[in-house]
Amino acid sequence: MSIYVGNLSYEVTQEDLMQVFAEYGEVKRVHLPTDRETGRLRGFGFVEMSSDDEEEKAIETLDGASWMGRNMKVNKARPRENRGSGSFGGRNKSFSRSSRY
């Protein structure tokens, strides 16, 4: 299982997030996605802990908690959606990369 952590400060580091979650157990991995074009943090991340019990405790305690001037959104991460191949942004499926302008 993985934990989704949203509404993060853009100044947060992996070490910062690791320290917060380490209070609830052993942190195995922290991932903070960045924007491909700007390299800037996207304001959310993922944390993996060594047991489901530790993750549940962290989720229950940290969801809605104020940290670095923001209220964190913490819950179980959902599997990544398959957006389909060939579409831009996943919204307009009729507009594909193979379409001519």
Side-chain angles (χ1 to χ4, degrees):
M1 181 170 90
S2 186
I3 300 171
Y4 166 82
V5 186
N7 200 31
L8 292 173
S9 166
Y10 293 110
E11 285 78 42
V12 72
T13 66
Q14 287 184 334
E15 292 77 25
D16 292 334
L17 209 51
M18 189 173 280
Q19 285 180 348
V20 168
F21 280 82
E23 293 181 35
Y24 304 95
E26 180 186 346
V27 177
K28 291 172 55 176
R29 182 174 168 249
V30 172
H31 176 62
L32 294 171
T34 55
D35 182 89
R36 284 184 225 171
E37 294 179 19
T38 65
R40 180 178 156 181
L41 292 175
R42 296 180 64 196
F44 65 92
F46 299 94
V47 176
E48 291 180 25
M49 300 184 77
S50 62
S51 78
D52 288 346
D53 288 340
E54 292 171 348
E55 289 181 351
E56 288 295 330
K57 186 169 46 168
I59 290 168
E60 288 174 17
T61 306
L62 295 174
D63 186 34
S66 180
W67 184 55
M68 295 181 77
R70 294 175 166 238
N71 292 333
M72 290 190 293
K73 177 69 178 160
V74 182
N75 54 41
K76 289 182 184 181
R78 288 182 266 163
R80 196 171 196 181
E81 287 183 11
N82 182 1
R83 295 185 180 193
S85 61
S87 66
F88 290 103
R91 289 190 179 185
N92 186 353
K93 297 291 184 190
S94 64
F95 185 77
S96 67
R97 292 175 193 214
S98 61
S99 296
R100 301 261 179 201
Y101 299 123

